[in-house]
Structures are given as structure tokens and as C-alpha cells.
Amino acid sequence: MAQNSETYNNFRIAVPTEYKNVFSHFYFAENQSNETITKTLLPSYQTILIFNFGTKALLNSEQNTQIEIDKCIILGTIRKAFDYLLPPQSKILVANFENDAFYRFFGNVSLAKNLPINPDELLNENCFTSLWYELNKIDNVDSQVNYILEFCKPYLQPRDKIAEQLINFTEQSLNPIKAIASDNNQTARNIQIKQKQYFGYSAKEINRYQRFLKAIKYIENIASKASKEDWFSIINDCGYYDQSQLINDFKYYLNLSPTKYLKFQQDICSPVN
């Protein structure tokens, strides 16, 4: 658990092994101070389910408007960073769906990018509102997570065989879309459609994001070692064509330049307190 202050707590919660293909983790945060705390949610290419307890938390949308989180919302595949605000006495619990788990829960529904929606609207019933009321009676966060895991069992559908193949594809020398299409006697276009249907993003999108993640890890490693940045090494090792492409990715995902992100990392990694 990471504790930022005496009045603000936030930490990740691991899930049992049998749920690793459903949720990557849960995240909990609470603000017991007298001031609103603003945090940035970095892109994850995951769909998330947010439960709000206490004072309503707020999301800053891409259109620069604030959206209140009432009891629970679904937020579609997180492609870009955005800010969220935790007013005094607010508390959130976030479930992060892994791979195709959102599709296995809700089926072939369409979510607008970064646009919150009440999950009950996807199922045409009030089961998530009912779940919120049950969770609100539970004081312990770990017990809340266990309740959610049990709740999800009857809703979770078996994984499609194409989704299974896409998740487990490891042959780096081959194009996964073309290889899986050939193995299943389907067109590459059909596999592309299934990829977007099951995961919420295309193979091209996730490849770009994974390249960006590699650059992020590279920069964080530089910051942790207090080393001087070598942008040409980052460009070459992470698969970028040039510095312009690297900068474009950082601005697309974070609205920051790589230099500004590095400065941010150096600041938070500083031992001065």
C-alpha cells in the first residue's frame, strides 16, 4: 500500500490467480483531507469500472468539462491521460478489466472513447446499482473486492477461441492478425474486426501503445538512475522512426513532451523530502 499523506490513501489490490484473466488489479483511493486532490490517470488501454463512495468524485473529460461519478460508471478503453478530482471525504474503488474481460461481461456493446456510462444501461437492469448498495455496507476494501469477484461469476461468458489465440500469440516474427487468420481459414479483415470487438482496440493501436510504454519504461529507468537522457538510443531501442514520432506519441497519450515527462519523473523520484 502506498500512503501519500496522513489524509490521502491510495493503493493497488492484487486479484487471486483464478481471476487474472478477468481483472489486472483493483485500485482504491480516499481523500480524508479538507482540500480537493487532483490526480492524473495515465492511459492503460483497459476498460475500467469505478465505484464511488462518499462525496462524488469528478472526471475531467477531453472536452474540458467535469463529469460527476455518482455510484458507479464504466469508462471505455483509456487511450489518453486525463485528470480526476477527489473532493474531501470521497472514496473510489476501481476494477481494471483485463484483455477481453469487458466483452465477456457485457457482450458486443459499443463504448465511446473516454465517455463514462452507467453499467446498468448496458445490461438494461439495475444489478450494478444493487451491487453498489451491497458494497457500501462493507467497510473493508479487501472484502469489497472479494464481493465483486463473487458477484461477477454468473455474468462472465467463456472466452472466444479467436480471443484466446490473440492473447496467447507470442511469435514476434509473424503478424498475429495474418497468422491467426490463416490458422482459422478466415480473412485478415475478419480477425481485425474480432480484435476490435473483443478488446476495444485494433492491433495497430495496441502496437503503438506498447511502443510508447517501452519508451516510458526507458525514461523512468533514466530518471531512477539520475542518468543523462540519450534520445537517439530511446528512439532506436523503442522502434521509433525519429524524434518527431516519439514526441507525437507523448503528446498524444499524455499531452506532454518527453522532456517534460522526464522532468516530472525526476521530480517524483527525488530523495529530497
Side-chain angles (χ1 to χ4, degrees), residues 151-253:
F151 171 87
C152 79
K153 284 182 178 180
Y155 291 95
L156 192 64
Q157 300 300 311
R159 174 173 284 163
D160 181 270
K161 72 170 186 175
I162 297 297
E164 185 80 32
Q165 292 173 37
L166 286 166
I167 291 169
N168 294 324
F169 193 88
T170 57
E171 184 51 69
Q172 297 184 359
S173 63
L174 298 177
N175 181 308
I177 300 296
K178 292 181 178 179
I180 292 172
S182 177
D183 290 342
N184 291 274
N185 294 318
Q186 296 191 30
T187 65
R189 178 60 180 160
N190 283 344
I191 302 302
Q192 288 173 339
I193 292 172
K194 288 180 181 294
Q195 162 99 29
K196 193 71 177 285
Q197 176 185 10
Y198 299 146
F199 302 101
Y201 48 77
S202 67
K204 183 178 180 181
E205 284 181 292
I206 198 63
N207 287 339
R208 179 185 180 185
Y209 174 66
Q210 288 172 345
R211 179 184 64 189
F212 167 73
L213 276 188
K214 189 173 182 180
I216 284 287
K217 292 178 181 178
Y218 206 118
I219 290 173
E220 289 178 348
N221 187 50
I222 290 173
S224 67
K225 295 180 179 178
S227 305
K228 182 173 178 57
E229 63 272 17
D230 182 350
W231 297 115
F232 291 106
S233 293
I234 295 173
I235 291 166
N236 291 331
D237 292 350
C238 298
Y240 285 96
Y241 295 123
D242 53 29
Q243 188 170 0
S244 176
Q245 191 183 33
L246 174 69
I247 292 172
N248 285 340
D249 268 10
F250 270 78
K251 288 187 174 179
Y252 174 80
Y253 290 116

Side-chain angles (χ1 to χ4, degrees):
M1 181 175 76
Q3 184 169 323
N4 294 65
S5 70
E6 293 181 357
T7 54
Y8 174 70
N9 295 319
N10 72 109
F11 51 89
R12 291 166 63 106
I13 304 166
V15 298
T17 303
E18 61 267 31
Y19 291 95
K20 287 291 187 182
N21 64 350
V22 181
F23 301 107
S24 62
H25 66 284
F26 284 77
Y27 173 78
F28 174 80
E30 64 176 346
N31 178 15
Q32 297 178 357
S33 74
N34 295 320
E35 298 180 356
T36 296
I37 294 174
T38 300
K39 294 291 179 179
T40 299
L41 181 65
L42 298 180
S44 64
Y45 270 73
Q46 292 175 291
T47 298
I48 62 175
L49 171 62
I50 306 174
F51 292 97
N52 186 86
F53 307 100
T55 308
K56 293 180 181 179
L58 302 168
L59 301 177
N60 281 344
S61 71
E62 288 186 29
Q63 292 73 33
N64 207 27
T65 59
Q66 287 191 342
I67 301 169
E68 283 189 344
I69 304 176
D70 187 7
K71 293 180 175 63
C72 54
I73 63 167
I74 287 280
L75 195 58
T77 310
I78 311 299
R79 289 171 165 82
K80 296 183 180 181
F82 65 88
D83 292 337
Y84 63 95
L85 293 79
L86 296 175
Q89 308 310 311
S90 62
K91 186 186 303 183
I92 60 171
L93 177 61
V94 184
N96 296 264
F97 289 102
E98 183 79 331
N99 294 317
D100 63 334
F102 176 79
Y103 174 83
R104 293 171 63 195
F105 273 113
F106 296 98
N108 190 22
V109 298
S110 178
L111 285 178
K113 296 178 181 179
N114 285 7
L115 183 63
I117 187 171
N118 186 323
D120 286 339
E121 295 179 19
L122 302 178
L123 296 176
N124 295 318
E125 55 181 297
N126 292 326
C127 58
F128 279 90
T129 298
S130 299
L131 172 61
W132 179 89
Y133 279 108
E134 294 302 318
L135 294 174
N136 198 40
K137 300 174 186 176
I138 303 173
D139 293 330
N140 181 272
V141 179
D142 289 329
S143 296
Q144 286 181 321
V145 169
N146 290 333
Y147 194 97
I148 293 172
L149 295 178
E150 287 297 317
F151 171 87
C152 79
K153 284 182 178 180
Y155 291 95
L156 192 64
Q157 300 300 311
R159 174 173 284 163
D160 181 270
K161 72 170 186 175
I162 297 297
E164 185 80 32
Q165 292 173 37
L166 286 166
I167 291 169
N168 294 324
F169 193 88
T170 57
E171 184 51 69
Q172 297 184 359
S173 63
L174 298 177
N175 181 308
I177 300 296
K178 292 181 178 179
I180 292 172
S182 177
D183 290 342
N184 291 274
N185 294 318
Q186 296 191 30
T187 65
R189 178 60 180 160
N190 283 344
I191 302 302
Q192 288 173 339
I193 292 172
K194 288 180 181 294
Q195 162 99 29
K196 193 71 177 285
Q197 176 185 10
Y198 299 146
F199 302 101
Y201 48 77
S202 67
K204 183 178 180 181
E205 284 181 292
I206 198 63
N207 287 339
R208 179 185 180 185
Y209 174 66
Q210 288 172 345
R211 179 184 64 189
F212 167 73
L213 276 188
K214 189 173 182 180
I216 284 287
K217 292 178 181 178
Y218 206 118
I219 290 173
E220 289 178 348
N221 187 50
I222 290 173
S224 67
K225 295 180 179 178
S227 305
K228 182 173 178 57
E229 63 272 17
D230 182 350
W231 297 115
F232 291 106
S233 293
I234 295 173
I235 291 166
N236 291 331
D237 292 350
C238 298
Y240 285 96
Y241 295 123
D242 53 29
Q243 188 170 0
S244 176
Q245 191 183 33
L246 174 69
I247 292 172
N248 285 340
D249 268 10
F250 270 78
K251 288 187 174 179
Y252 174 80
Y253 290 116
L254 303 178
N255 200 28
L256 291 172
S257 69
T259 302
K260 287 185 177 179
Y261 181 76
L262 177 59
K263 183 179 185 302
F264 171 73
Q265 284 297 312
Q266 288 173 331
D267 288 343
I268 64 172
C269 290
S270 172
V272 179
N273 292 309

